[in-house]
Amino acid sequence: MTVFESLLLLLAAAVLLLQVARRLSLPYPSMLALAGVAVALLPGAPDFPIDPRTALPLFIAPALMDAAFDFPVHRAKRFWVPLVNLALGGVLLTALLVAWAGWALAGLPFAAALVLGAIVAPPDAAAATAILSGMSIPRNTDAIIRGESLFNDAAALLLFGVALSVQTAGAVTAPQVVGFALAAPGGVLFGVLVGWLLPYATRYISGALDSNLFQFVNTFLVWIVAEHLHVSPVLAVVAMAMTVASRRSHPSSPRLRVQSYAVWGAVVFVLNVTAFLLMGLQARRIVGGMGGEHLRQALMFAGIVTVIVVVVRIAFALAVNRTVVWYRAIRGRESPASWQQAALAGWCGMRGLVTLATAFILPDNFPQRDTVVLTAFSVVLVTLVVQGLTLAPVIRLLGLDRRSAGEQELRAVRLGLVKAALECMAVEADEEGKRLAALYRIEADALDEPARAEAFDRHCALSQAAVAAQRAELERCRLAFQLSDDDYNFLLEQLDWRELTVLPAEATRISGG
């Protein structure tokens, strides 16, 4: 079986698992982790290396860009205390305790053990975002869980670089210390600079295809240039994405926005599939090359590291929460989050792309590389499967399921949007303005008076039927060769967008990607 055939098989399995995940309300990264293991166990699956210089930018840069674009600067400022605590304290504590276990239990040199700690320490932004996308939890907890993994990656990768340099060279020189100290602020400054300049460049790019291609080129280019400048590429990409998101003073093209979300979601998903396939194949080779006793010891060590990673994350989140509550209580201030929210944040410590990608790039002569890579894969597999699959029950057990409240909040926002449109139409005295205002008033009445919701549902159903009739007529015109392919696609896109405005919210959400 070739690499392409294996990847195609896993993609086909991923599509099937997405349907299962959607119908059973399960997170797709958990299913994907299991699929990667299953495909890797198939006889004839190939074993192939990947260039270490390619692994990090290929797998991490798009995922960071996609997640950071939805986490603008003002949100980071609002939650900077828990973000800094989790990104620095949580990552460092986890890495140090794992390093101690690697040194004391596996006989690794401390620098090599610290490399392992840095690999398994950071939760994954893409995994957290994908798993939480179909759930409704308190907004502040949701924002912290989605955002902290962006900064965790930077802290872990900086620690990874330092520890790997020490292990490879045997010591750290003064210039290296200065370089590592400047890497974080340098990456942030470089990313902010690119984010400020980017809108000026995109003014001259108008097509949706051109814009999507430019977004990917720019993301990878920022990563590569940051590496050549010896600053943090992770922070550069994150800072650029957050800066661009915060500078969207003028709305982008609807066509570009719809296509961009679809393209980025698909790309990040395919990269996840590829990463799990590669790691699964490596794990198969590693397990096949180990003797019985060696494999038993390696799996036992991997289990110990997994327990450390999970327990430290939960304990640290609860400890920080209780400390903040005590500090604010003695000053007569209200607590920003409950212990239940802290426990949920602790349980949302799924590892993913960053752990997989950093394990890929370890040199072949790294001490006990097979044990380290197998441990990294085990941590990813266990956290995604166990924590991912139990996340929904944990949310209900902690009393943090806000689906009913979330629906009310969504209803209130939608009513505000409709009222804004009515205020705009109030100054229009012509017949068309009155007709459009009447349409908006139907929606406003249904949202404002739940008793009239049935009338609005009937309105939506009739609108969908009308669009279906229009689509059938458009297809007849196409078959009769009454319009060109470009005109057909343009009108079909307009009908699709019109139908989206009358579909229920659950039908318009993208599940799993």
Side-chain angles (χ1 to χ4, degrees):
M1 187 183 297
T2 65
V3 173
F4 176 73
E5 290 170 342
S6 298
L7 180 59
L8 187 63
L9 180 61
L10 186 54
L11 286 173
V15 172
L16 176 62
L17 289 173
L18 277 177
Q19 311 312 309
V20 176
R22 182 178 292 110
R23 284 164 174 76
L24 299 180
S25 300
L26 298 174
Y28 90 82
S30 304
M31 310 294 287
L32 191 58
L34 294 174
V37 174
V39 173
L41 293 177
L42 291 177
D47 185 17
F48 59 95
I50 184 170
D51 183 3
R53 295 171 298 179
T54 304
L56 281 179
L58 175 63
F59 293 122
I60 297 178
L64 284 175
M65 179 70 180
D66 185 48
F69 191 78
D70 295 327
F71 198 82
V73 174
H74 67 84
R75 194 175 301 171
K77 292 179 179 178
R78 181 172 183 172
F79 298 107
W80 72 271
V81 173
L83 290 176
V84 170
N85 280 325
L86 291 170
L88 295 180
V91 166
L92 290 177
L93 181 60
T94 301
L96 288 174
L97 289 176
V98 170
W100 175 84
W103 170 77
L105 303 178
L108 287 169
F110 188 78
L114 190 57
V115 170
L116 172 61
I119 289 174
V120 300
D124 180 59
T129 301
I131 289 177
L132 290 173
S133 61
M135 303 179 183
S136 182
I137 61 176
R139 284 196 302 270
N140 56 347
T141 306
D142 182 83
I144 292 170
I145 292 172
R146 293 174 187 265
E148 55 104 358
S149 51
L150 299 172
F151 304 98
N152 285 349
D153 294 345
L157 287 175
L158 283 173
L159 181 61
F160 174 83
V162 173
L164 187 59
S165 296
V166 174
Q167 174 59 37
T168 303
V172 177
T173 62
Q176 286 178 319
V177 173
V178 174
F180 285 124
L182 296 177
V188 172
L189 290 176
F190 177 62
V192 171
L193 177 62
V194 174
W196 274 93
L197 296 177
L198 202 57
Y200 299 101
T202 55
R203 289 179 182 177
Y204 305 99
I205 302 176
S206 56
L209 179 61
D210 315 47
S211 298
N212 282 323
L213 182 59
F214 178 75
Q215 289 172 2
F216 283 100
V217 170
N218 179 70
T219 300
F220 290 118
L221 191 60
V222 166
W223 183 287
I224 293 171
V225 172
E227 284 188 328
H228 285 291
L229 294 176
H230 302 291
V231 298
S232 171
V234 173
L235 284 176
V237 172
V238 170
M240 177 195 65
M242 293 173 64
T243 303
V244 171
S246 299
R247 294 196 66 204
R248 287 183 293 179
S249 56
H250 300 286
S252 58
S253 162
R255 180 178 287 107
L256 170 61
R257 189 162 53 250
V258 171
Q259 290 191 8
S260 178
Y261 286 158
V263 168
W264 277 90
V267 168
V268 171
F269 176 72
V270 171
L271 289 175
N272 269 279
V273 172
T274 307
F276 280 108
L277 171 62
L278 293 174
M279 182 55 80
L281 294 175
Q282 280 206 21
R284 186 193 63 170
R285 177 185 60 78
I286 290 170
V287 171
M290 286 183 171
E293 181 62 22
H294 185 196
L295 178 59
R296 185 186 67 81
Q297 293 177 353
L299 290 176
M300 184 178 299
F301 175 69
I304 293 172
V305 170
T306 303
V307 171
I308 291 174
V309 166
V310 174
V311 172
V312 168
R313 164 83 180 185
I314 297 173
F316 184 82
L318 287 171
V320 170
N321 173 262
R322 294 296 89 191
T323 302
V324 171
V325 169
W326 170 80
Y327 178 80
R328 296 175 70 94
I330 62 177
R331 283 162 174 76
R333 298 163 65 184
E334 185 180 355
S335 172
S338 64
W339 72 265
Q340 291 93 336
Q341 291 172 278
L344 176 60
W347 194 246
C348 288
M350 290 74 65
R351 270 58 176 178
L353 272 182
V354 174
T355 297
L356 295 178
T358 47
F360 284 147
I361 69 174
L362 289 177
D364 292 335
N365 60 352
F366 189 83
Q368 301 188 44
R369 184 183 187 277
D370 288 353
T371 299
V372 171
V373 173
L374 183 61
T375 299
F377 183 64
S378 300
V379 170
V380 172
L381 183 63
V382 172
T383 56
L384 279 180
V385 173
V386 176
Q387 292 182 297
L389 292 180
T390 58
L391 191 56
V394 167
I395 290 174
R396 290 192 292 269
L397 180 64
L398 294 173
L400 297 176
D401 190 349
R402 298 183 69 255
R403 279 176 294 182
S404 58
E407 292 173 0
Q408 294 176 359
E409 291 172 353
L410 177 62
R411 189 185 193 92
V413 172
R414 289 185 62 181
L415 180 59
L417 296 177
V418 175
K419 288 182 176 179
L422 285 172
E423 291 177 3
C424 178
M425 290 298 103
V427 299
E428 303 293 337
D430 61 351
E431 191 63 27
E432 291 302 320
K434 294 178 180 178
R435 289 177 180 174
L436 186 57
L439 292 176
Y440 279 117
R441 198 167 288 110
I442 293 174
E443 185 174 357
D445 290 343
L447 292 170
D448 200 20
E449 301 177 26
R452 300 191 58 180
E454 291 185 4
F456 181 66
D457 291 341
R458 176 62 175 165
H459 166 77
C460 290
L462 291 175
S463 299
Q464 294 172 44
V467 171
Q470 288 180 296
R471 192 175 285 116
E473 173 62 16
L474 179 61
E475 191 64 28
R476 187 197 65 77
C477 294
R478 184 193 192 190
L479 294 175
F481 204 60
Q482 295 179 6
L483 74 173
S484 67
D485 288 341
D486 288 340
D487 291 338
Y488 168 82
N489 289 326
F490 172 72
L491 293 174
L492 182 62
E493 187 178 40
Q494 284 193 326
L495 291 178
D496 290 340
W497 287 354
R498 186 175 300 170
E499 186 176 12
L500 284 174
T501 64
V502 292
L503 284 177
E506 60 270 15
T508 60
R509 290 193 180 103
I510 299 175
S511 175

